[in-house]
């Protein structure tokens, strides 16, 4: 390989697009084991309220077409993402928030809804990197949530031609970073310098990242009765999955009927 070709390959790899292409190929090759397929790649989206726009890396469709994974691919080099989990919240969770669009009886209901989803994982609100770029994941996750809303609203315009449909849209970031859950004991945190003297680390293949990625869109059920519910309404779930474990994640992922109740 010439020096020029080596330089060109470096530019290509730095873009992150090869990872996106590889993930799409792996999904297609292993469809018989998990039932998911690639519906869109590099899908243009726009949000009617925020005026944000961009491209969704991958949109996967599963089952009978009721389930959709909106996927952002993030290539990083020799990085670890560490998710802090307070000890009192370290149990595995089986819930997440997803966008639901339901069309029946000539009317549409849509919005973010709490649902039960497998596989159970830890859930974290805080993520740190070894280069102190914590806000990058949060901004990527917030933008992904916005993209999911834009996609759902775009598809609704087409699917309302059907007498009945339901679509559940789930936010997913797939990354080459190693993922670690860090169990934090509050009593081991110093009020002198704000550091923790005792932590337990566990490498995990995937987890839930839940935070107030606030949007202008409503909850599907819209039950707001106190200030605690106000906080929950602004929260959203973004699944974070190590690229090597993505096919395993697809094989295990399923959710309940979020539109019921």
């Amino acid at each position: 390989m010439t020096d020029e070709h080596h330089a060109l390959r470096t530019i290509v790899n730095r873009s992150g697009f090869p990872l996106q292409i590889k993930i799409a190929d792996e999904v297609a090759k292993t469809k018989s084991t998990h039932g998911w397929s690639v519906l869109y790649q590099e899908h243009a989206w726009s949000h009617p309220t925020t005026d944000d726009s961009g491209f969704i890396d991958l949109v996967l469709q599963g089952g009978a077409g009721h389930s959709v994974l909106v996927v952002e691919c993030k290539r990083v080099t020799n990085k670890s993402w560490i998710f802090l989990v307070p000890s009192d919240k370290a149990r595995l969770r089986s819930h997440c928030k997803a966008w639901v669009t339901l069309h029946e009886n000539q009317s549409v209901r849509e919005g973010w809804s709490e649902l039960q989803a497998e596989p159970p994982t830890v859930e974290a609100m805080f993520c740190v990197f070894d280069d102190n770029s914590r806000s990058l994941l949060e901004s990527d996750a917030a933008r992904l949530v916005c993209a999911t809303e834009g996609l759902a609203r775009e598809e609704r315009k087409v699917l309302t031609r059907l007498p009945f449909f339901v679509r559940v849209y789930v936010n997913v970031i797939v990354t080459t970073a190693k993922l670690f859950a860090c169990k934090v004991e509050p009593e081991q945190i110093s009020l002198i310098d704000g550091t923790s003297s005792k932590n337990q680390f566990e490498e995990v293949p995937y987890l839930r990242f839940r935070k107030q990625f606030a949007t202008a869109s409503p909850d599907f059920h819209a039950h707001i009765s106190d200030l605690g519910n106000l906080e929950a309404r602004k929260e959203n779930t973004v699944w974070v999955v190590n690229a090597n474990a993505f096919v395993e994640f697809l094989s295990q992922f399923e959710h309940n009927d979020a539109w019921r109740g």
Side-chain angles (χ1 to χ4, degrees):
M1 179 179 293
T2 66
D3 290 344
E4 181 184 25
H5 286 182
H6 178 77
L8 293 174
R9 185 175 67 178
T10 299
I11 294 172
V12 169
N13 287 334
R14 191 184 301 130
S15 73
F17 289 127
L19 174 63
Q20 181 177 329
I21 293 169
K22 178 62 174 178
I23 293 295
D25 183 64
E26 285 295 300
V27 172
K29 289 194 303 186
T30 58
K31 180 180 178 180
S32 62
T33 68
H34 49 66
W36 293 89
S37 59
V38 177
L39 182 61
Y40 313 126
Q41 295 189 57
E42 281 295 291
H43 185 74
W45 65 272
S46 61
H47 196 287
T49 303
T50 66
D51 291 329
D52 287 333
S53 62
F55 293 88
I56 299 170
D57 289 349
L58 298 170
V59 178
L60 309 186
Q61 180 173 270
H66 297 315
S67 301
V68 177
L69 301 184
V70 185
V71 180
E72 173 77 9
C73 299
K74 301 299 295 183
R75 173 190 171 270
V76 297
T77 305
N78 299 322
K79 299 291 185 182
S80 296
W81 294 0
I82 308 167
F83 295 83
L84 277 60
V85 183
S87 57
D88 61 339
K89 298 181 180 179
R91 67 184 184 279
L92 299 183
R93 302 300 181 100
S94 294
H95 69 91
C96 76
K97 211 167 187 180
W99 179 277
V100 178
T101 304
L102 172 64
H103 177 240
E104 63 179 348
N105 300 324
Q106 297 183 331
S107 65
V108 175
R109 292 171 63 198
E110 62 182 2
W112 293 102
S113 178
E114 295 284 357
L115 64 149
Q116 297 294 310
E118 303 293 333
T121 71
V122 296
E123 181 181 84
M125 183 184 297
F126 308 102
C127 180
V128 295
F129 298 86
D130 52 11
D131 58 359
N132 296 318
S133 58
R134 175 176 60 90
S135 62
L136 293 179
L137 176 60
E138 292 169 349
S139 61
D140 286 340
R143 187 169 177 79
L144 177 60
V145 168
C146 192
T148 296
E149 290 184 4
L151 172 66
R153 293 174 186 274
E154 178 189 11
E155 288 197 334
R156 183 237 295 163
K157 296 176 182 178
V158 177
L159 294 173
T160 47
R161 300 171 186 171
L162 304 175
F164 170 85
F165 78 88
V166 62
R167 298 273 272 183
V168 178
Y169 299 83
V170 179
N171 312 301
V172 182
I173 291 177
V174 180
T175 179
T176 54
K178 290 185 176 181
L179 309 178
F180 288 90
C182 173
K183 185 176 179 181
V184 179
E185 301 286 352
E187 61 271 18
Q188 299 294 329
I189 300 174
S190 168
L191 289 176
I192 303 299
D193 59 11
T195 61
S196 176
S197 60
K198 182 179 181 181
N199 302 105
Q200 297 179 27
F201 296 90
E202 178 186 3
E203 186 172 359
V204 295
Y206 30 74
L207 50 78
R208 291 157 163 84
F209 186 42
R210 185 167 178 126
K211 211 173 182 74
Q212 289 191 28
F213 305 121
T215 69
S217 299
D219 275 6
F220 184 76
H221 299 295
H223 298 319
I224 303 298
S225 59
D226 57 44
L227 294 180
N229 284 345
L230 178 61
E231 178 186 37
R233 186 179 187 182
K234 294 176 66 177
E235 291 179 347
N236 217 302
T237 302
V238 174
W239 293 76
V240 182
V241 183
N242 178 267
N244 275 324
F246 189 55
V247 170
E248 174 189 326
F249 172 78
L250 293 179
S251 300
Q252 296 191 24
F253 183 82
E254 60 180 2
H255 59 76
N256 67 344
D257 293 347
W259 58 94
R260 307 296 184 189

